[in-house]
Amino acid sequence: MEIHRYEKIWLAGALLLIVGFIATVSYGAVGAGIAMVDDEGGQVDPASLDDHPKFGEPGTYQAGENEYDVYVVARQFLFEPGTSEPIRVPAHSTVTFHVTSPDVIHGFEVVGTNANTMAIPGQVATITVEFGEPTEYGLLCHEYCGSAHHAMEGKIEVVPQSEWNESMVVN
């Protein structure tokens, strides 16, 4: 059976495209260094977050030298802390966010960074961000969570070390 020359060219082009797509997907899955959120954050009872030692009083906790843990509860339709009062962290620090939700799935995105995760009821998502110079970042919910989803936003204030004091840390 004779295959026409143009058919061979189209067949070779199609095979190259298939190999290229497979290579692109493989690189995106393992080569880019992007990891999925795992269960390292642990689990909590979403019905009793008020009784949790950290989520019961969410805020900024010092974890080490220039290292901080921020516990955030995402609930319809606010971040606690973050919406009514901003999350404050010192400049040039490493901050690990621990995010959960008591009601529905929410998104947690620090605008202008690569910090982006989901807040799933009962699951604790952890994500670490290194903040540099003093500035403000927005917080957004990027998962539809109900009728006021569009208004679910907050703020992170990165303050200079000279303005940072221990009263901003939850004990």
Side-chain angles (χ1 to χ4, degrees):
M1 174 171 114
E2 180 67 28
I3 299 177
H4 196 272
R5 186 172 73 118
Y6 291 121
E7 288 183 53
K8 289 179 184 178
I9 292 172
W10 278 105
L11 186 60
L15 288 175
L16 281 173
L17 280 174
I18 291 171
V19 169
F21 289 146
I22 291 173
T24 301
V25 170
S26 298
Y27 173 75
V30 295
I34 298 172
M36 298 298 290
V37 175
D38 57 14
D39 61 355
E40 85 175 30
Q43 295 182 342
V44 292
D45 181 11
S48 63
L49 284 180
D50 293 337
D51 299 331
H52 191 274
K54 302 286 179 146
F55 288 113
E57 191 176 343
T60 305
Y61 293 83
Q62 188 153 10
E65 183 69 30
N66 248 3
E67 294 179 1
Y68 297 87
D69 288 331
V70 177
Y71 287 82
V72 180
V73 177
R75 56 178 92 230
Q76 292 180 319
F77 296 98
L78 56 93
F79 294 107
E80 185 185 348
T83 299
S84 59
E85 63 181 57
I87 298 170
R88 289 183 180 87
V89 296
H92 307 290
S93 62
T94 301
V95 179
T96 300
F97 291 97
H98 305 269
V99 187
T100 192
S101 169
D103 45 29
V104 298
I105 294 175
H106 296 279
F108 182 82
E109 178 180 355
V110 181
V111 178
T113 70
N114 63 349
N116 181 350
T117 190
M118 293 173 61
I120 301 171
Q123 299 291 321
V124 179
T126 58
I127 189 163
T128 301
V129 180
E130 291 185 13
F131 290 108
E133 297 298 319
T135 189
E136 284 187 358
Y137 293 94
L139 283 179
L140 289 178
C141 175
H142 55 77
E143 294 288 333
Y144 182 74
C145 56
S147 60
H149 162 73
H150 65 282
M152 189 170 173
E153 59 185 24
K155 189 188 313 182
I156 297 175
E157 289 181 356
V158 181
V159 298
Q161 289 282 354
S162 60
E163 294 178 21
W164 178 257
N165 61 47
E166 294 304 316
S167 67
M168 296 180 178
V169 177
V170 179
N171 291 321

